[in-house]
Amino acid sequence: NLPEVRGIALDIEQAQLSVIGVPDKPGTAASLCLAMADFGINLDAIVQSERQHENGSRDISFILKKEERKLAENALVPLLSAWPGTRLQEGPAIARVSAVGAGMPSTVGTAGKMFRAIANENINIGMIATSEIRTSCVVAQKDGIKALNAVHSKFNLGKLKT
Amino acid sequence: NLPEVRGIALDIEQAQLSVIGVPDKPGTAASLCLAMADFGINLDAIVQSERQHENGSRDISFILKKEERKLAENALVPLLSAWPGTRLQEGPAIARVSAVGAGMPSTVGTAGKMFRAIANENINIGMIATSEIRTSCVVAQKDGIKALNAVHSKFNLGKLKT
Ligand SMILES: C[C@@H](O)[C@H](N)C(=O)O
Ligand SMILES: C[C@@H](O)[C@H](N)C(=O)O
């Protein structure tokens, strides 16, 4: 009888970097990730939706530490020059709120409850990436603490000091 | 000294359902997820990139069990009728490959290595969602086993029986 959510994490020192219009062929995601790895950059999240542009290309977004965003951009420049039409897009200052719980896979509606708690604070969700035992979403940096507290009390984990 | 990858999971009975052009305001993601939860649908993954359409709306993709996709579509119909311009889009038959390892957060390049192993088999990646200790990506259903085996041997986990 594992809890659907046993803890909430907040990452506030994060930045979002999207690569817009990458070629949708095998090897693209690998090249992007490995180029940043060569510079020692640790990626906190990678999100690519299934959406394609008219020309068939896709976008890939990376969430990483704020202080490594410039370095990441430098790492990606050689790839961008090889892919005409591909460009970098810096995202706004963000915070990432994640709920973790081993009971999540066997409980219906955990993500919905988390998103509802955030919506009740009138906070907009900018990105979502979930997996079996972890639901994370991106909100504006200024809303991070409020979102964390809202999710924390939604799952009755008590109130946090802020 | 935890391994960056201790295991690989393959989900082959999955389907992808995207909701295209949802209003980008607080409560949208919650309503979609809770509507499906009301029908008892367990979502295996939720992916929303930061990308917006010209009119400011966004897309949200869900990965769920194949046999629940029709039920999910029925659950979402009331919401769609409230949001003009929003539509459902069924994805192709998919397989999801995930690498899990507690050492992933402290190791640079795990995702890149996984994507490279998949690219070396000339397999295209349709979606990506990662978090600290889990990297997952979607490939065509027909490529699932091949992708699993490629990633399995990349991280020296031995060969799988197929
Ligand atoms: C698009 C959707 O994520 C919306 N921004 C919300 O907060 O629910
Ligand atoms: C866009 C990117 O994911 C590409 N499809 C790849 O396989 O690398």
Side-chain angles (χ1 to χ4, degrees):
Chain A
N1 217 353
L2 300 159
E4 60 180 322
V5 173
R6 72 165 163 66
I8 317 283
L10 176 69
D11 296 294
I12 53 174
E13 295 302 325
Q14 305 223 301
Q16 187 185 309
L17 179 62
S18 298
V19 190
I20 309 292
V22 300
D24 185 23
K25 56 180 178 31
T28 303
S31 302
L32 290 165
C33 294
L34 291 173
M36 288 186 281
D38 287 347
F39 279 62
I41 293 164
N42 207 323
L43 300 168
D44 287 322
I46 307 168
V47 177
Q48 176 199 317
S49 78
E50 44 67 48
R51 218 174 130 203
Q52 287 175 304
H53 294 278
E54 267 92 65
N55 65 359
S57 67
R58 290 188 202 259
D59 303 344
I60 299 186
S61 293
F62 301 100
I63 296 178
L64 38 82
K65 294 184 191 40
K66 257 189 201 158
E67 61 277 11
E68 292 189 337
R69 178 156 71 182
K70 267 279 160 269
L71 187 66
E73 290 178 4
N74 293 341
L76 297 178
V77 165
L79 285 172
L80 296 181
S81 54
W83 298 330
T86 304
R87 65 185 168 80
L88 291 180
Q89 180 181 295
E90 292 192 0
I94 57 169
R96 200 158 55 108
V97 185
S98 306
V100 187
M104 216 179 270
S106 53
T107 316
V108 174
T110 309
K113 278 186 256 175
M114 176 179 171
F115 300 152
R116 176 61 70 210
I118 291 173
N120 291 344
E121 303 291 322
N122 206 23
I123 295 172
N124 199 44
I125 295 170
M127 271 168 84
I128 299 169
T130 71
S131 62
E132 276 59 15
I133 61 166
R134 188 185 184 102
T135 301
S136 320
C137 64
V138 165
V139 298
Q141 168 101 16
K142 65 175 172 50
D143 295 326
I145 299 276
K146 214 164 79 174
L148 171 73
N149 267 323
V151 176
H152 214 259
S153 46
K154 181 83 171 184
F155 292 102
N156 301 324
L157 299 173
K159 191 128 179 80
L160 287 184
K161 285 189 298 300
T162 46
Chain B
N1 215 353
L2 299 159
E4 60 181 323
V5 173
R6 70 165 165 67
I8 316 283
L10 177 69
D11 296 294
I12 54 174
E13 295 301 327
Q14 306 223 297
Q16 185 186 310
L17 178 63
S18 297
V19 190
I20 310 292
V22 300
D24 185 21
K25 57 179 182 14
T28 304
S31 303
L32 290 165
C33 293
L34 291 171
M36 287 185 282
D38 287 347
F39 279 62
I41 294 166
N42 207 321
L43 300 168
D44 287 322
I46 307 167
V47 176
Q48 176 199 316
S49 79
E50 43 68 46
R51 208 167 139 206
Q52 287 175 303
H53 294 277
E54 271 90 61
N55 65 358
S57 67
R58 289 188 204 257
D59 303 342
I60 298 186
S61 294
F62 301 101
I63 296 178
L64 36 83
K65 294 184 190 40
K66 256 187 200 162
E67 63 275 11
E68 293 190 336
R69 179 157 71 182
K70 267 277 161 273
L71 187 65
E73 290 177 6
N74 293 342
L76 296 178
V77 165
L79 285 172
L80 296 182
S81 55
W83 299 330
T86 304
R87 62 185 171 80
L88 291 179
Q89 180 181 295
E90 292 191 1
I94 57 168
R96 201 159 56 108
V97 186
S98 307
V100 185
M104 213 179 274
S106 54
T107 315
V108 174
T110 308
K113 278 186 252 172
M114 175 178 171
F115 300 152
R116 175 62 68 211
I118 290 172
N120 291 344
E121 303 292 322
N122 205 24
I123 296 172
N124 199 46
I125 295 170
M127 269 167 87
I128 299 170
T130 70
S131 62
E132 275 58 16
I133 62 166
R134 188 186 184 100
T135 301
S136 1
C137 64
V138 166
V139 298
Q141 168 102 12
K142 66 175 172 51
D143 294 326
I145 300 276
K146 214 164 81 174
L148 171 73
N149 267 323
V151 177
H152 214 260
S153 47
K154 180 84 172 183
F155 292 102
N156 301 324
L157 298 173
K159 192 128 179 79
L160 286 184
K161 286 188 297 301
T162 45

